[in-house]
Each structure stands twice: as structure tokens, then as C-alpha cells.
Amino acid sequence: MGDTDDDQINNADDESQQGSQSASVTVQRPKKRKREAAGCWLYFEVDEALDHVAICKLCKRPVARGSAGSRKSSYSTKGLWTHLHLHHPNEKEEADQKRAETVAKKHKVAEERSRLQSIYSLSRQVTLEQTTARINKWALNSEKQLQQERLLVLWICSNTLPYTAVSDPMFQQFVHGLNPKFTIPHEKKLRTVIIPNLYEKVQFKVHTLLKQLCGTFCLTVDIWSSKALDAYFGVTIEFITKDFERKVAVLRCMPYNRRHTGDSIREEILFVMTSWGLKREQLQCVVADSAANMRKACRSLNGLRCFLHILNLIIKNSVFVQASVKKVIKKMLYLVKKMRTPLGKQALNKHQDEDHYKSLVRVVETRWNSYYVMAETVMKNKTAVTLAQLDPDLNMSARKQLTALDWETIKKFLLVVKPIYTLTVVAQSENMCISQVIPFVKRLKFELTTIIVPGIRTFLRALEEKTIK
């Protein structure tokens, strides 16, 4: 027990008097007491020559309470109490009794001061409205408080926000403006208590849901990287209950720092199944993308290639087959890159109408329909793009600008790719079922064979061949 602790454990007569003051008087901080009033200091006094040494009043022996030259805040009374225990046991009991009385008084005064501080500010008298707001705060364990905390956590989790979002002053002001009775939990409480508890409840709910599993189930597996280049591994299960209801649940989404080999992925899939009590003989199939490591991992697990991923590969592997289409796509890629710079955006907005898109969409290799969406946004902004690409500030050479012939090619490209775009939009809905794949593919083949567009027949044939393959 250090000097700082003993200095705080003192007679609290002045503090008790503060509790009886009028409500209009500001609460004062307690005055510091002499150290002699705290326990062991009844039998010791500080050596005048050596500040780190105390002299016992009973036997006049010097007792060290710290190292020479060290700071006073590091001094300790442990040696003083040990001296009393070894050489003056009777006085030690009296000192302990004195300390216990002082601690009791201190706690009583602290409770009184806490009560006053809950109503009045330390620096000024609070208003009646503020006092009422503080008194009417919901209890931390009340149903309304817990319900609002659950809604707050759902908002944070669904938008993948940081825990520190609740510490933002403007957010706190906004919440208090909506409901002053709600106490915003601290980010540490969110991280260590509320969200872990919610995770356990959701995990229990999923376990209960899996007990309704009737027959077989399917897994969807994927690995992706964040903007910070951190890899994550996700597993989703789909099954039908005994009441013939379709259920979907995420079983695992966790950092994946291992090598992305087929054997490693397969081991992770089997580990997830074991941890959730899923039997391998009930596994119908595992759906994953067409990457070589995924195909190897799912080979012995009845792996199926993702239908949407295959559609994406059809476009990706066919778009550069025909020279004219390849040339236009490269021009659009360059144009979109230019128009997404500050100067390009300014030049584009200068010629746009309110009814048109404000920005162009660029191609993302892992996004389905991105080639179609890019061409569609460019076509919808045809007038603005045609004028913006002539802006001298962009410094676009004539061979990289879209010509009248290029615009015709873009129109034909959209006409050919639209069936695949429409199919992708339908196929990525939550109600999509594997039984719909065959009729969808047959319809896609029919649509591609009925399209007659001169000028890009090579591209059209490539789409047909890739679709059949």
C-alpha cells in the first residue's frame, strides 16, 4: 500500500459536511489529511535528513520506505506495516483497526459524493431539465436498454463498422437527441461483452436450425482477400427442413492465413463440418468457383462449379476474341479510367444532364456483368462522353477516342451480352435452385442462336461455343 493510497484514506469529516450542504452549492473536492491519521503513520515519522526513511516512534529504528533518489510517488508503506507486524504486534492491531475505520468513512463519503455528482456538475449547477434527464436514464439491465443495445449492435455488424463508431461525439449527440434515456455502451463493452454474447446466441440458433436438417445438405465455399490483403475463408450451408422449408446459414467466416492449396482447403471444409456435427455421408455437394485449387479441394466432395462464375468466365474468355470488340473494350477501359480522375469527372459533368449517370462504372474482374454494366453506362452517357473526350485538359489522342463506328459496336455488344446479363441477375437471387440451371442454359443457347448482328459474329460464335462447353 503506497503513500498515495494512505494519503487518500483519511478522516472525512469535511466531506461529510459537504453532503449536508444546500443543493444550490457546488460540490467541493475533499481536503487532504495528514498522513499521521492513516493507519501505520500513527507510529512513524519521516526522517528529516533522509526522506525515504521513516523512524519508528516506539523503538526509534529506521525503516526504509523506498530507494534513495527515487520519486516520492514510488515510496511504499509495506516496510512500515512489516515492522509493526514483527516488532509491535499490539500496535499493529490498533493500526489495522484505525485503517478499517478510515476506509469505512471513506467509502461512505464516496457514496454520498457519487450521489451528489449524479445530480449536480462539479463545475456548475445543472438545470432542472438536465437533472431530470439524468435521473430518468434507463437502468443498464432494463429490457428497453438491452433492446436498444441489440439494435445498435445489429447496425454495426450489418455495416461492418468499427467498434469505435459509438465513441464519435456527433454520433453520441445524435443518439441522445433521439432518446436521452438510452446509455450508449462503450466500445470495449461492445467488443468484449455484447457482441460475443450475440455471437453465442446466433451460434446456438444455427445449431438448433441444423437439428431440423432433413436428409442431405449443400455447402458453398469461397476464399477472398480484403483491401488490406487479408485472406478470409467462408462456408455457407443450404438445406431443407422436415417442414420442407429452405434454410441458409453462414457456418464460418474467418481469417485464412494458410497456403491456398487444394489439400489445405479440403481439410478446412472437413474441419468446419466436424465442428458443426455434420456427417459427410449427408453432404450432397460443395459449390465453389472454377479455380484449380478449389476444384482439387472439392473433387472428393462432389464439387460443383458455381453457375454465376461460369457465366462470368464465358464473357471474360470471349470478349477479346474478335478484334473490333477487343478494340472497343480497350477504348472503354481507357476512357472510364480517364473519366474517373478529377479532371475527367469535371469534364464529364459539364456535359451531363440530370437524367444521366453521374459517373462511369469500371470493370472489376471478379464482378459478374461488369463488362455489360460498363458498356451500358458509357452508352447512356454517349453525348456527354463524346464531348468530354474532346476536352483539351484530358489530352486524349484521337486513336483512343470513341468513333461513330465504335458506338455502333458498343450497341451490338450490349445486344449480344444482354441475355447473359439478364440470366445473371435472375440466377443470383436467393431463391435460385440448381434445378433451374438446365432450363436457364437451354434458354440462353436459344437466345444466342436467334441474335443476328452483323459485324461481331466472331464474338457471338465464341459466346455460343463457351456456353456449350
Side-chain angles (χ1 to χ4, degrees), residues 67 134 175 177 239 263 338 441 469:
S67 302
R134 291 184 179 183
V175 174
F239 61 95
D263 294 336
K338 272 285 187 181
V441 172
K469 182 180 179 179

Side-chain angles (χ1 to χ4, degrees), residues 357-418:
Y357 285 83
K358 292 301 180 183
S359 61
L360 305 180
V361 178
R362 60 184 176 182
V363 170
V364 181
E365 294 297 331
T366 57
R367 288 285 184 268
W368 304 307
N369 301 326
S370 58
Y371 282 99
Y372 178 88
V373 175
M374 179 187 68
E376 185 182 40
T377 56
V378 170
M379 179 58 73
K380 287 188 176 182
N381 289 275
K382 179 179 178 180
T383 303
V385 169
T386 303
L387 297 174
Q389 66 183 359
L390 299 175
D391 195 306
D393 291 336
L394 295 183
N395 194 24
M396 291 182 61
S397 60
R399 62 186 180 84
K400 292 186 177 182
Q401 297 178 10
L402 293 175
T403 63
L405 183 60
D406 293 333
W407 287 110
E408 286 297 321
T409 305
I410 294 175
K411 185 185 296 186
K412 296 175 182 178
F413 172 81
L414 290 172
L415 182 62
V416 173
V417 179
K418 187 174 182 179

Side-chain angles (χ1 to χ4, degrees), residues 61-228:
R61 293 182 181 179
V63 180
R65 59 190 188 116
S67 302
S70 60
R71 294 182 300 175
K72 291 184 179 181
S73 59
S74 66
Y75 291 169
S76 172
T77 57
K78 183 177 181 181
L80 309 186
W81 286 103
T82 302
H83 178 81
L84 289 177
H85 178 72
L86 296 176
H87 302 285
H88 313 290
N90 295 332
E91 286 76 6
K92 169 70 165 47
E93 292 181 2
E94 294 179 3
D96 286 337
Q97 184 178 0
K98 176 66 176 177
R99 179 168 59 177
E101 294 175 357
T102 305
V103 170
K105 288 184 178 180
K106 176 180 177 293
H107 287 170
K108 183 177 180 180
V109 173
E111 291 177 359
E112 179 67 16
R113 183 169 58 187
S114 176
R115 186 184 69 83
L116 293 175
Q117 288 178 346
S118 65
I119 303 176
Y120 303 104
S121 170
L122 288 173
S123 57
R124 61 182 176 83
Q125 181 180 359
V126 298
T127 63
L128 178 62
E129 181 181 356
Q130 292 172 327
T131 304
T132 305
R134 291 184 179 183
I135 294 175
N136 292 338
K137 281 279 189 180
W138 287 333
L140 296 180
N141 58 348
S142 65
E143 181 60 30
K144 292 183 178 180
Q145 174 71 22
L146 296 177
Q147 181 181 4
Q148 296 301 316
E149 287 181 356
R150 284 194 293 269
L151 294 175
L152 175 64
V153 169
L154 291 176
W155 172 70
I156 292 176
C157 294
S158 61
N159 293 279
T160 60
L161 299 175
Y163 300 125
T164 53
V166 297
S167 302
D168 182 70
M170 297 307 297
F171 173 76
Q172 294 180 348
Q173 184 177 350
F174 171 71
V175 174
H176 288 156
L178 293 176
N179 192 343
K181 296 183 179 181
F182 175 59
T183 302
I184 302 176
H186 191 267
E187 61 94 8
K188 184 177 180 181
K189 183 179 179 181
L190 284 176
R191 175 167 38 86
T192 60
V193 179
I194 300 179
I195 290 183
N197 290 343
L198 179 63
Y199 171 80
E200 292 179 358
K201 292 179 181 179
V202 173
Q203 189 180 38
F204 176 77
K205 186 175 181 180
V206 174
H207 270 293
T208 305
L209 195 64
L210 292 178
K211 292 180 180 179
Q212 305 176 22
L213 192 151
C214 180
T216 59
F217 62 90
C218 300
L219 296 180
T220 302
V221 180
D222 193 16
I223 297 178
W224 68 96
S225 298
S226 66
K227 292 182 179 180

Side-chain angles (χ1 to χ4, degrees), residues 299-366:
R299 188 172 299 156
S300 61
L301 302 175
N302 192 21
L304 293 179
R305 298 168 64 190
C306 175
F307 180 55
L308 289 171
H309 191 260
I310 294 174
L311 291 177
N312 182 54
L313 292 179
I314 290 175
I315 297 294
K316 187 177 179 181
N317 296 334
S318 305
V319 74
F320 295 118
V321 171
Q322 185 160 353
S324 59
V325 177
K326 178 179 179 180
K327 177 182 176 182
V328 170
I329 293 295
K330 287 189 174 182
K331 279 189 176 183
M332 284 194 294
L333 291 172
Y334 177 79
L335 176 70
V336 171
K337 184 178 180 180
K338 272 285 187 181
M339 295 301 174
R340 292 177 69 89
T341 61
L343 286 177
K345 184 178 180 181
Q346 184 178 1
L348 185 64
N349 291 344
K350 190 188 304 180
H351 304 288
Q352 278 181 325
D353 297 330
E354 293 183 358
D355 298 334
H356 289 82
Y357 285 83
K358 292 301 180 183
S359 61
L360 305 180
V361 178
R362 60 184 176 182
V363 170
V364 181
E365 294 297 331
T366 57

